[in-house]
């Protein structure tokens, strides 16, 4: 299987990073191909709503997103890992998601589905970490993430969210988070 993972945190070695690594450790790399996109390090312009993708379903902006489009098209499993910022997904995550508007056009305007016709159903995993203990951050981030997953024809996804995790690396002290993530990664490829 081909698994793609988006890391929407700018903090290398931070909580999102640690949680995502645990999920990926649950996936056998000998049998599966994993590509991780560290969005903070990628030159991706925000969507300009230029209308370029409306007719064709193809984005005309030439940047690192052009590397992500084929990866999304090819993926069997998609993981999105993001910290919660201002009760939402991080900007790094959201910029990538907004640039998936060509898939939205393809699916909803041109009635074409991304799904590989004879392949397995596409499943997703959403990993969220927030420093506050306010559920609204998870709810808002989840709403955007769900729109993203459905747009790229990931019909189902699971969510693991952890609140009250603020200091860099604090997720390691959570009683179940790393084990949960490992198990979620393992299950993701066995669905
Ligand atoms: C700009 C900014 C905004 C934040 N806003 C929220 C928020 O609205 N809700 C929340 O629970 N945590 C918020 N946090 C805390 C982060 O979600 C928290 O520190 C998280 O553990 C960071 O994950 P990371 O280590 O992967 O970067 C914010 C942090 C930053 C830097």
């Amino acid at each position: 299987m081909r698994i793609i993972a988006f890391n929407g945190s700018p903090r290398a070695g931070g909580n999102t990073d640690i949680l995502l690594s645990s999920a990926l450790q649950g996936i056998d790399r000998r049998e599966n191909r994993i590509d991780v996109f560290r969005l903070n390090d990628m030159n991706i312009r925000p969507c300009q709503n230029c209308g370029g993708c409306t007719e064709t379903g193809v984005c005309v902006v030439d940047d690192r997103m052009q590397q992500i489009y084929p990866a999304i098209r090819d993926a069997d499993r998609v993981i999105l890992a993001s910290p919660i910022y201002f009760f939402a997904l991080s900007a790094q995550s959201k910029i990538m998601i907004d640039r998936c508007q060509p898939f939205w056009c393809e699916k909803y305007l041109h009635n074409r589905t991304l799904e590989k016709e004879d392949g397995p159903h596409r499943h997703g995993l959403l990993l969220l970490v927030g420093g506050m203990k306010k559920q609204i951050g998870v709810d808002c981030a989840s709403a955007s993430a769900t729109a993203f997953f459905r747009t790229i024809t990931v019909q189902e996804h699971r969510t693991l969210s952890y609140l009250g995790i603020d200091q860099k690396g604090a997720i390691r002290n959570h009683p179940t988070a790393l084990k949960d993530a490992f198990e979620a990664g393992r299950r993701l490829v066995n669905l």
Side-chain angles (χ1 to χ4, degrees):
M1 272 191 193
R2 181 159 187 200
I3 295 100
I4 57 171
F6 297 103
N7 183 342
S9 170
R11 197 150 67 161
N15 299 313
T16 307
D17 216 359
I18 293 167
L19 201 58
L20 176 58
S21 297
S22 295
L24 297 179
Q25 277 162 22
I27 299 173
D28 188 343
R29 285 180 185 262
R30 289 164 306 181
E31 292 183 12
N32 300 286
R33 173 176 168 184
I34 302 174
D35 290 302
V36 179
F37 296 97
R38 191 175 279 282
L39 297 170
N40 192 57
D41 299 342
M42 300 179 76
N43 173 29
I44 302 175
R45 262 177 80 69
C47 176
Q48 301 297 299
N49 196 7
C50 65
C53 63
T54 312
E55 291 296 317
T56 59
V58 176
C59 181
V60 297
V61 180
D62 187 13
D63 61 11
R64 292 290 297 284
M65 199 61 202
Q66 297 301 339
Q67 192 184 332
I68 290 178
Y69 291 129
I72 288 180
R73 212 170 271 287
D74 239 32
D76 302 299
R77 301 288 184 263
V78 180
I79 303 175
L80 174 62
S82 179
I84 295 169
Y85 282 1
F86 283 85
F87 298 154
L89 293 171
S90 68
Q92 289 85 343
S93 306
K94 188 59 166 47
I95 286 173
M96 182 280 293
I97 289 174
D98 289 353
R99 288 287 301 282
C100 287
Q101 181 69 359
F103 293 124
W104 190 93
C105 293
E106 188 174 333
K107 184 173 179 183
Y108 296 107
L109 299 182
H110 303 293
N111 296 318
R112 291 199 303 265
T113 172
L114 275 185
E115 199 161 357
K116 300 170 188 173
E117 288 198 359
D118 49 357
H121 280 292
R122 290 150 67 93
H123 291 269
L125 175 63
L126 175 62
L127 303 174
L128 296 172
V129 186
M132 298 164 75
K133 290 187 177 166
K134 292 199 181 262
Q135 180 63 25
I136 189 170
V138 172
D139 295 343
C140 293
S142 292
S144 289
T146 301
F148 163 62
F149 280 134
R150 300 303 173 264
T151 295
I152 62 166
T153 322
V154 169
Q155 297 95 331
E156 288 172 45
H157 69 275
R158 224 182 132 204
T159 302
L160 294 183
S161 59
Y162 300 94
L163 290 172
I165 310 287
D166 206 15
Q167 296 307 309
K168 186 174 178 177
I171 194 82
R172 291 192 197 282
N173 302 326
H174 188 280
T176 63
L178 302 194
K179 201 166 155 289
D180 298 343
F182 180 91
E183 193 54 32
R186 201 183 60 76
R187 276 181 51 183
L188 188 66
V189 287
N190 289 305
L191 286 166

